[in-house]
Amino acid sequence: MFHTQYHTNNAKEYIIKHFYTRFKVERVHFISALQAANPHIEHSHSETYATLILLRLMFLYFLQKKEFLNHDPHYLLNCLKRSRQLIGEDTFYHSFLLPLLHEGFSTPHLSSTQRQLFGTIPYLGATLFSPHPVEQRHPSLVIPDQAFEQFFAFFETYQWQSGEYSSQFPYTVTPDILGSILEQYINQQHMGAYYTQIDVTEYVASNTIIPSLFDAFTHIHPDIFSPQSTVWQQLQQTPDRYIYDAIRQQQHLPGETTREYQDRQNYYQMLSNKLRNGTITSINDFVTYNLNIRQFAYDTIQSITKESYLQTCYQQLLNLSVLDPTCGSGAFLLAALHVLYPLYQLCLKQMKIQHLTRYARNPSPILPANHDYKIIETILVNNLYGVDIMPEAVESCKLRLYLSLLTHSHHVQNIPPLPDLNRTIHVGNALVNLVPTPAEPAVAYKEDEEMVQSFSWQQAFPTIFKHGGFRVIIGNPPYVEYSEKTFPYILTNFVTRSCSNLYTCIIERSHELLSLHGRQGMILPLAAFATRNMQPFLTSFRHWFPISWVAFFHFRPAMLFSGGKVASIPTAIYLAKKIGHEQRFSTSLIKWSQECRSFLFHRLTYNQITTPLDPQNQHYYPKFGHCHDNTIMQKIMGHNLIRTYIAPHHNHNSMFYRTAGGLYWKIFVNFSWPYHTTSNKKCCFIETYDRDVFVALFNSSLFWWYYTVTFDTFNLKDYMLFGFRFTYPQRPEIIASLRTYSQLLMDDFCKYARHLKRGETGSYTIYARKSKSIIDAIDTILAQHYGFTDEELEFILHYDIKYRMGQDNESLEFD
């Protein structure tokens, strides 16, 4: 199963990459043709308009492949040929395409002249292809036929299929695949935005939307979800139904070590016992134990037979507002649609069953023949909200949502007008409120207000604010450094502005927009939860969200984000609740290979954080994936800070290290580096404290553990290094042992080290993994000093060992 899914995902990724690569090239040709024919238009306007036209053409390609356009699967190409023959060269754009977009789809009843020009086409509503500002400013714009011909030739090399992707048909483009391509393209035009894969978006959507629905239901009917209710008995009777196959699997998973396999089997037994024993009795538990929350939601709705409860369920579905404040081309909103759709289906089905049971002679019309279309239309109108600063992104988002609706239409004659998404999906700057509130004065504009796309949340969504805010907010905000010198506007009244990155302000704005009982889920750089400059955000995060789950992901060997020019960035996904008794959960720092991607999120395991906040080190949200993480940290917190042993002036009692490099080892030595680099550092200890004791300490696996669970896994900052806690030993035998092993380690480092040359630059490579036995001896001594149990020592000795000792990761090179 996992191998099949892996190959299917690989095939989809190949199509996405292949199409996207060609799309970029063809787009450049299209822009060049447009610019050559219209030299008076600014290049930026040409780029924007070219993107808009191409988005619309792709949308039309799906319609024609469903034979919605004059029953012709090659409608656009044939119309281009006809335009050339009957009207002349370079007339397709003005004589056919613009009238089709602006009049054909927006006119309920076509005239005979229009029917002759367009053939049989659906009326899609008045707002689908509204005239763009570029079209209004440049009514005489020319686009050569050859530009369209070249793009159609590119499109014709693919199969356009409105259903699910099948790897049996290579070079197939589905709406989901096109969505991924558009997400990648649109986001990469905007610095700091990343293409988010569907497993990420659906994990976040499922674990915010479904809990929000249950929260609302419980508030109205507390009896149905009380710990003693029958709802929870289904967990006791069939526990495996709610444990993902990736956890239950008896075979080794791809890339799984023996130790990992045993840990997974133990975790499965623990989960199974909890379910059988009736320990899990809240929707939050489903998030914490990463159970199949969608299956539970389906089973729960299907078990409801009381009509008033079903009516409540349906009403709460209608009320469940989901916002992405920086929606891009709509990846998270599409994921929300995928989560909500089956919930509506099941609820309506149960309502119909119960209604037919009571009124057999008078069946309810609650499920019309085209009920799937109606359900999606309802979701688009009632549930999904988005804002983005890029007009192309908003256009793309709307077209993707419309495609999801049209996928469920099978006859062109039966297509109702598309709903107006202009009231739910807006162009605007999530951070710039056009209408000031008492708590937020007007923004200070440094340039033309139009350039910042100022936006009024209250005016755009009055009904939402009447009911207290959005119930769910999800997304992936842009990771963009903010500076008043470089931005056209000044952000005011943001507590997190000093973090100097837009994403912290997006989270702050989202918290303001969230209803009292709301839930939020976002993707952020891992550094947001592990660096000192983000401390205002982290302090606020703890205050904003008393209940939170944070999953941490490394970028090696594989990373969450994919496509094009993606930075190597460790990431974090948080799920959070605005009110409740304080509870914090986290995963360990997750590393995985690409073959494990298909079950990555089914394998997430959270651990509750019970260790109190370190008052001297408030820069991190712990990456604790095991109970031993808590107990080890509590013992460490009883020690002194390393900074108390640092000398105020340079002396010979020195330790040398580097602030960069080393994904799997951090190296500290008692000798100077042979080659100079800007990241070479040294620190000096007070002379009464032997530096070799500290050299041993910092090379230990214990320090690697501390570095991993408290920092960004990318750099090495002095505040993190000297914030480590270690009381200098009083026992002479511990000091002597650490000094002895420190020197043995230095000898071993030098024994295996290699001097390499890279052009004119020298480098010194230390193979730390070759000295693991000496490092283990150091950790054994430190375990004594800190008072670790045998289990805690074993945990430290094997911490991250798969990657630290792997053949691909054996060295740390110092350039």
Side-chain angles (χ1 to χ4, degrees):
M1 169 189 157
F2 297 115
H3 290 291
T4 302
Q5 186 64 45
Y6 174 62
H7 290 306
T8 300
N9 290 344
N10 268 2
K12 288 177 71 173
E13 283 298 311
Y14 174 78
I15 291 297
I16 292 169
K17 190 175 295 185
H18 188 274
F19 188 101
Y20 180 64
T21 301
R22 287 199 59 191
F23 175 81
K24 287 192 297 182
V25 174
E26 298 297 339
R27 177 180 172 273
V28 169
H29 291 158
F30 193 92
I31 292 171
S32 298
L34 192 156
Q35 193 73 48
N38 307 272
H40 58 289
I41 298 179
E42 291 182 24
H43 185 71
S44 60
H45 290 173
S46 297
E47 287 194 326
T48 300
Y49 190 60
T51 300
L52 178 76
I53 288 292
L54 299 178
L55 288 174
R56 291 175 170 182
L57 289 176
M58 287 188 280
F59 179 83
L60 296 182
Y61 247 74
F62 279 109
L63 294 191
Q64 72 177 13
K65 289 303 178 183
K66 285 179 72 70
E67 300 192 3
F68 283 0
L69 304 183
N70 206 33
H71 310 289
D72 183 357
H74 304 285
Y75 178 79
L76 290 172
L77 188 56
N78 289 334
C79 288
L80 173 61
K81 292 175 181 177
R82 188 178 66 180
S83 176
R84 277 179 161 173
Q85 292 169 355
L86 299 181
I87 307 176
E89 195 75 18
D90 296 336
T91 60
F92 173 75
Y93 171 71
H94 262 293
S95 66
F96 178 80
L97 186 61
L98 281 185
L100 175 71
L101 295 173
H102 297 163
E103 302 166 18
F105 294 121
S106 62
T107 304
H109 304 289
L110 297 178
S111 67
S112 58
T113 303
Q114 289 173 322
R115 284 197 299 273
Q116 186 176 3
L117 178 61
F118 305 132
T120 303
I121 60 172
Y123 167 60
L124 297 179
T127 62
L128 177 60
F129 296 122
S130 302
H132 189 270
V134 171
E135 295 166 344
Q136 295 170 331
R137 290 186 195 127
H138 306 284
S140 59
L141 188 76
V142 175
I143 302 180
D145 288 352
Q146 188 274 335
F148 290 105
E149 188 174 47
Q150 187 167 335
F151 234 94
F152 293 160
F154 159 50
F155 286 165
E156 290 293 330
T157 61
Y158 295 87
Q159 297 184 59
W160 296 70
Q161 180 177 306
S162 60
E164 291 292 319
Y165 173 79
S166 171
S167 57
Q168 295 178 341
F169 304 103
Y171 296 97
T172 296
V173 178
T174 65
D176 278 346
I177 287 178
L178 180 61
S180 298
I181 292 162
L182 293 177
E183 185 78 11
Q184 185 172 331
Y185 165 72
I186 293 292
N187 285 352
Q188 290 187 8
Q189 302 309 302
H190 191 289
M191 186 189 348
Y194 295 88
Y195 154 50
T196 319
Q197 290 194 30
I198 194 168
D199 56 352
V200 179
T201 58
E202 293 208 349
Y203 171 76
V204 173
S206 297
N207 286 280
T208 49
I209 291 171
I210 292 173
S212 178
L213 176 64
F214 276 64
D215 289 343
F217 204 113
T218 303
H219 182 70
I220 298 170
H221 298 294
D223 56 310
I224 196 170
F225 291 118
S226 67
Q228 295 77 32
S229 73
T230 56
V231 166
W232 304 108
Q233 291 177 11
Q234 57 194 359
L235 276 64
Q236 296 174 262
Q237 295 162 1
T238 56
D240 281 3
R241 184 172 176 81
Y242 307 102
I243 301 175
Y244 288 116
D245 189 41
I247 297 292
R248 293 187 287 109
Q249 178 64 244
Q250 292 300 304
Q251 307 294 325
H252 276 68
L253 299 177
E256 190 173 46
T257 66
T258 302
R259 189 180 186 89
E260 288 172 330
Y261 173 80
Q262 192 56 55
D263 287 344
R264 180 169 59 83
Q265 295 302 311
N266 293 340
Y267 186 74
Y268 165 60
Q269 287 301 322
M270 181 275 291
L271 270 187
S272 183
N273 290 338
K274 279 185 175 292
L275 290 164
R276 289 182 191 280
N277 295 338
T279 306
I280 293 175
T281 56
S282 79
I283 199 64
N284 281 352
D285 289 341
F286 263 77
V287 180
T288 301
Y289 294 107
N290 195 29
L291 295 166
N292 192 334
I293 198 167
R294 292 172 80 163
Q295 186 63 60
F296 178 66
Y298 305 156
D299 291 348
T300 298
I301 292 173
Q302 286 183 304
S303 71
I304 299 174
T305 56
K306 197 171 181 180
E307 274 197 77
S308 61
Y309 286 1
L310 288 168
Q311 289 287 353
T312 296
C313 182
Y314 185 71
Q315 188 59 50
Q316 292 310 311
L317 281 170
L318 290 173
N319 294 343
L320 212 163
S321 51
V322 181
L323 168 72
D324 184 344
T326 55
C327 64
S329 61
F332 278 89
L333 296 182
L334 264 294
L337 173 62
H338 294 159
V339 172
L340 287 165
Y341 174 65
L343 300 178
Y344 270 94
Q345 271 190 318
L346 286 168
C347 187
L348 289 170
K349 181 182 176 183
Q350 284 299 103
M351 291 172 76
K352 182 179 182 183
I353 290 171
Q354 297 309 316
H355 192 88
L356 289 176
T357 301
R358 292 183 57 193
Y359 308 104
R361 295 183 180 179
N362 184 25
S364 169
I366 200 165
L367 289 179
N370 60 340
H371 68 278
D372 288 343
Y373 184 99
K374 288 294 184 184
I375 289 172
I376 293 178
E377 183 181 43
T378 299
I379 293 170
L380 298 190
V381 170
N382 286 279
N383 300 116
L384 306 183
Y385 299 83
V387 174
D388 199 274
I389 198 169
M390 295 178 66
E392 314 96 286
V394 170
E395 181 84 11
S396 173
C397 179
K398 290 177 183 176
L399 292 180
R400 289 179 70 183
L401 292 172
Y402 283 136
L403 272 179
S404 68
L405 185 59
L406 290 170
T407 295
H408 290 83
S409 296
H410 304 292
H411 302 288
V412 65
Q413 295 86 353
N414 299 332
I415 299 177
L418 296 175
D420 181 8
L421 296 185
N422 288 332
R423 71 175 193 84
T424 54
I425 313 294
H426 290 273
V427 176
N429 188 332
L431 298 176
V432 179
N433 204 355
L434 180 63
V435 179
T437 64
E440 181 179 22
V443 150
Y445 296 106
K446 295 166 66 177
E447 295 182 17
D448 184 1
E449 182 178 315
E450 184 181 348
M451 293 182 62
V452 297
Q453 300 286 0
S454 52
F455 182 68
S456 170
W457 290 95
Q458 293 80 6
Q459 288 180 1
F461 308 116
T463 305
I464 296 295
F465 285 94
K466 181 181 177 181
H467 292 95
F470 292 95
R471 293 262 297 275
V472 171
I473 300 181
I474 55 180
N476 184 12
Y479 314 158
V480 179
E481 291 187 7
Y482 171 77
S483 167
E484 290 185 5
K485 293 180 180 179
T486 58
F487 271 64
Y489 55 88
I490 297 173
L491 295 176
T492 58
N493 280 26
F494 282 94
V495 174
T496 61
R497 187 177 68 164
S498 61
C499 297
S500 301
N501 205 297
L502 291 186
Y503 69 76
T504 63
C505 295
I506 293 291
I507 306 306
E508 186 169 347
R509 171 70 82 223
S510 298
H511 172 261
E512 294 168 1
L513 300 171
L514 195 63
S515 68
L516 182 62
H517 295 275
R519 291 187 182 245
Q520 194 174 119
M522 294 273 189
I523 309 173
L524 298 179
L526 183 147
F529 296 93
T531 50
R532 189 166 62 182
N533 65 310
M534 288 293 161
Q535 194 166 314
F537 164 72
L538 192 49
T539 300
S540 299
F541 181 85
R542 293 188 183 105
H543 174 70
W544 294 334
F545 304 113
I547 303 175
S548 57
W549 298 261
V550 186
F552 297 99
F553 301 86
H554 207 263
F555 60 88
R556 287 275 296 273
M559 68 181 84
L560 281 187
F561 295 118
S562 67
K565 50 183 182 182
V566 177
S568 296
I569 180 171
T571 49
I573 296 177
Y574 77 80
L575 309 169
K577 196 167 184 284
K578 198 170 182 179
I579 61 169
H581 176 68
E582 184 170 8
Q583 288 182 298
R584 306 289 177 194
F585 301 90
S586 72
T587 68
S588 60
L589 179 62
I590 301 166
K591 299 173 183 175
W592 79 99
S593 58
Q594 195 59 43
E595 64 179 344
C596 303
R597 180 78 194 224
S598 60
F599 54 85
L600 177 64
F601 285 91
H602 291 178
R603 286 280 287 112
L604 285 187
T605 54
Y606 287 101
N607 178 67
Q608 186 167 5
I609 300 167
T610 57
T611 307
L613 186 66
D614 184 343
Q616 301 300 319
N617 291 292
Q618 297 189 41
H619 65 273
Y620 68 92
Y621 187 111
K623 306 179 199 71
F624 286 178
H626 196 282
C627 61
H628 291 330
D629 289 308
N630 280 296
T631 56
I632 290 170
M633 185 61 84
Q634 284 181 308
K635 291 174 181 178
I636 286 175
M637 283 175 60
H639 283 243
N640 295 335
L641 296 168
I642 293 289
R643 68 171 65 105
T644 61
Y645 303 108
I646 299 297
H649 306 291
H650 286 295
N651 59 37
H652 296 293
N653 197 29
S654 303
M655 179 180 73
F656 301 84
Y657 58 99
R658 290 194 66 208
T659 57
L663 289 175
Y664 303 104
W665 302 90
K666 293 297 177 187
I667 304 298
F668 301 83
V669 294
N670 61 11
F671 53 84
S672 299
W673 297 113
Y675 302 101
H676 172 75
T677 73
T678 55
S679 62
N680 285 357
K681 294 289 292 285
K682 82 169 182 176
C683 64
C684 301
F685 297 94
I686 298 170
E687 293 185 355
T688 51
Y689 302 104
D690 196 306
R691 59 94 186 273
D692 283 351
V693 170
F694 296 99
V695 170
L697 172 72
F698 284 116
N699 280 298
S700 67
S701 292
L702 175 63
F703 177 73
W704 175 256
W705 167 85
Y706 180 82
Y707 168 78
T708 303
V709 301
T710 66
F711 207 53
D712 66 0
T713 74
F714 208 74
N715 305 288
L716 182 62
K717 299 291 186 182
D718 284 352
Y719 70 84
M720 180 267 149
L721 187 67
F722 303 143
F724 187 37
R725 291 179 174 273
F726 171 78
T727 300
Y728 196 82
Q730 296 294 313
R731 293 165 57 184
E733 66 273 21
I734 290 182
I735 296 173
S737 295
L738 290 174
R739 289 181 60 191
T740 298
Y741 281 110
S742 180
Q743 194 53 55
L744 287 172
L745 185 61
M746 296 302 99
D747 293 343
D748 224 41
F749 279 177
C750 294
K751 175 182 175 183
Y752 294 112
R754 293 172 62 196
H755 293 264
L756 302 175
K757 200 80 169 169
R758 288 185 178 175
E760 298 301 315
T761 306
S763 67
Y764 189 63
T765 302
I766 289 176
Y767 296 88
R769 66 181 292 270
K770 295 181 182 291
S771 306
K772 183 66 163 65
S773 60
I774 300 175
I775 294 171
D776 285 353
I778 291 172
D779 279 297
T780 303
I781 297 165
L782 292 173
Q784 247 187 308
H785 181 62
Y786 282 103
F788 295 163
T789 65
D790 290 344
E791 292 80 11
E792 290 166 348
L793 172 59
E794 185 76 4
F795 177 76
I796 289 296
L797 294 179
H798 289 89
Y799 187 78
D800 202 20
I801 197 168
K802 175 179 177 179
Y803 294 98
R804 299 188 82 199
M805 297 300 287
Q807 293 300 314
D808 293 337
N809 311 313
E810 67 176 14
S811 68
L812 172 67
E813 186 168 296
F814 295 96
D815 297 331

